[in-house]
Amino acid sequence: MNTNAEVTLQTIEEAARTLAGHAIRTPVETCETLDLLAGRKLFFKCENFQKSGAFKFRGAFNAVSRLVRSNEPTQRELHVVGDSSGNYACGLALAARLCGVSAHVVMPNNAPECKKQIVLSYGATLIQRERRQDFPQTIKQVQEMTGAVYISGSQNPDVISGQGTMGLELLQQVPDLDAVIMPVGGGGMLAGVSMAIKSICPDVRVYGAEPEVANQATLSLQNGERFVYSYVPRSIADGVVAGIGPVTWTYIRDNVDDIFTVTEDEIKNAMRLVSERMKLVVEPSGVVGVAAALSDSFRARAVGFKNVAVILSGGNVDLQKLPELLLM
């Protein structure tokens, strides 16, 4: 993985061309009830409708497709390997299948069962480990056995550029956009989208949102250097607890206006509202931006904002566990 390559507006526009005809140009939905609660017009970018059920497919397909093109002169059999709490594993598995590549994904034992089944349905090899500390060694073993190329779900520049295509679409879909807010975990989405939007419309505010119990991005921006927990925090929003990495941190530091934190109850309430009022299935990690947009802290900061986009980042929910996810 070449982490030295830069993510620019040009690489994001190239990713958009690569994704054309492969990724879904996801719709933007509205909801009057949520507008009233927020005190402004909210525009929801529905990445829960994206292939594989989450925005992660964008970056995975862009990275795998570019890898295949670079390999064409050699014609050697390609394998890719990645690690994920769930949605990136799904996106990488599907991207690999569409590109004729063998995929291996390392996931924690306690990852949502629906995400494991999606990975398997796309024909990838699923490797489960109890401890995240074991992931690097497992990835190394897969590489030694298969020659697989490791593609990070958030730190690979091609992945970040693929995620940035959401920013291009939002600027076309939402007129007079004042701000956009989205979940932040590893930071690939926030890094890519912020680069796209700030390159075209620098006055549009870009915000991240994360659980209060996993506030690595908030602490990083406050202190001016990347903060890393010595453990993996636990949150209902399991997809955004990994913490921003060294590559994404530089783009977040330079392009993101602020990070908002939300409580577990605020996440559950947002999930309930999106389900009941918008009739959409969105996972807990996917509604963290909604929770932030409805929070008192955002309302205090967003005075004068009329049009705010919120990215619903994924919809892979274990429906059998839905009642307990919504229980306050």
Side-chain angles (χ1 to χ4, degrees):
M1 179 183 72
N2 181 13
T3 57
N4 293 320
E6 282 192 46
V7 177
T8 64
L9 178 60
Q10 180 180 354
T11 66
I12 295 169
E13 290 173 337
E14 289 173 355
R17 290 190 287 271
T18 296
L19 293 174
H22 299 285
I24 296 170
R25 181 184 171 91
T26 52
V28 169
E29 301 290 345
T30 59
C31 176
E32 290 185 2
T33 298
L34 289 174
D35 288 350
L36 289 172
L37 291 172
R40 58 186 47 84
K41 192 76 174 176
L42 298 180
F43 297 85
F44 300 94
K45 180 70 167 163
C46 295
E47 287 296 302
N48 53 312
F49 294 157
Q50 187 55 261
K51 289 182 179 179
S52 79
F55 78 97
K56 294 284 190 176
F57 174 75
R58 293 175 182 263
F61 187 87
N62 188 51
V64 174
S65 179
R66 287 179 62 84
L67 177 65
V68 169
R69 291 199 299 271
S70 68
N71 180 70
E72 284 174 353
T74 67
Q75 294 295 310
R76 67 183 178 91
E77 182 182 0
L78 279 176
H79 293 251
V80 294
V81 60
D83 54 323
S84 167
S85 63
N87 281 336
Y88 176 64
C90 300
L92 183 64
L94 178 57
R97 191 186 78 175
L98 294 175
C99 293
V101 173
S102 297
H104 311 260
V105 294
V106 185
M107 298 175 68
N109 289 342
N110 62 354
E113 188 62 30
C114 67
K115 296 179 182 180
K116 296 178 186 177
Q117 293 305 315
I118 291 171
V119 167
L120 293 171
S121 74
Y122 293 143
T125 299
L126 172 61
I127 306 163
Q128 300 183 62
R129 292 291 182 266
E130 184 174 351
R131 303 187 312 157
R132 289 177 183 265
Q133 299 94 309
D134 296 331
F135 281 15
Q137 182 60 32
T138 303
I139 291 168
K140 183 179 179 182
Q141 291 170 351
V142 170
Q143 290 180 300
E144 290 173 348
M145 292 175 59
T146 67
V149 176
Y150 174 65
I151 302 178
S152 167
S154 62
Q155 304 307 297
N156 183 298
D158 292 332
V159 169
I160 297 171
S161 294
Q163 319 303 27
T165 59
M166 285 178 284
L168 300 181
E169 292 176 15
L170 274 172
L171 291 175
Q172 297 167 353
Q173 292 171 307
V174 182
D176 301 318
L177 183 64
D178 293 308
V180 57
I181 187 166
M182 71 206 78
V184 54
M189 172 167 52
L190 186 57
V193 172
S194 65
M195 173 58 72
I197 288 181
K198 291 296 187 179
S199 297
I200 300 172
C201 297
D203 291 336
V204 174
R205 303 296 178 125
V206 179
Y207 299 110
E210 63 186 353
E212 196 174 73
V213 296
N215 63 339
Q216 298 101 311
T218 301
L219 294 173
S220 297
L221 273 189
Q222 287 176 351
N223 297 323
E225 60 182 12
R226 187 170 70 96
F227 177 85
V228 182
Y229 277 138
S230 59
Y231 61 95
V232 178
R234 295 186 61 124
S235 169
I236 185 176
D238 62 286
V240 293
V241 297
I244 54 177
V247 177
T248 49
W249 160 239
T250 60
Y251 297 103
I252 292 170
R253 178 195 63 202
D254 295 343
N255 297 316
V256 173
D257 293 283
D258 206 349
I259 309 289
F260 292 89
T261 61
V262 293
T263 67
E264 299 297 284
D265 281 347
E266 285 176 320
I267 296 170
K268 292 179 181 180
N269 182 56
M271 191 174 176
R272 182 183 298 105
L273 285 168
V274 168
S275 175
E276 292 178 351
R277 299 295 184 166
M278 299 185 70
K279 313 305 178 188
L280 295 177
V281 176
V282 183
E283 62 193 276
S285 299
V287 299
V288 173
V290 181
L294 299 178
S295 68
D296 291 338
S297 57
F298 184 74
R299 189 176 291 108
R301 288 287 307 277
V303 175
F305 289 4
K306 295 180 179 179
N307 302 316
V308 174
V310 183
I311 296 179
L312 304 178
S313 58
N316 293 319
V317 183
D318 274 334
L319 294 181
Q320 291 181 337
K321 293 185 177 181
L322 194 57
E324 64 183 78
L325 290 175
L326 297 176
L327 188 63
M328 298 289 282

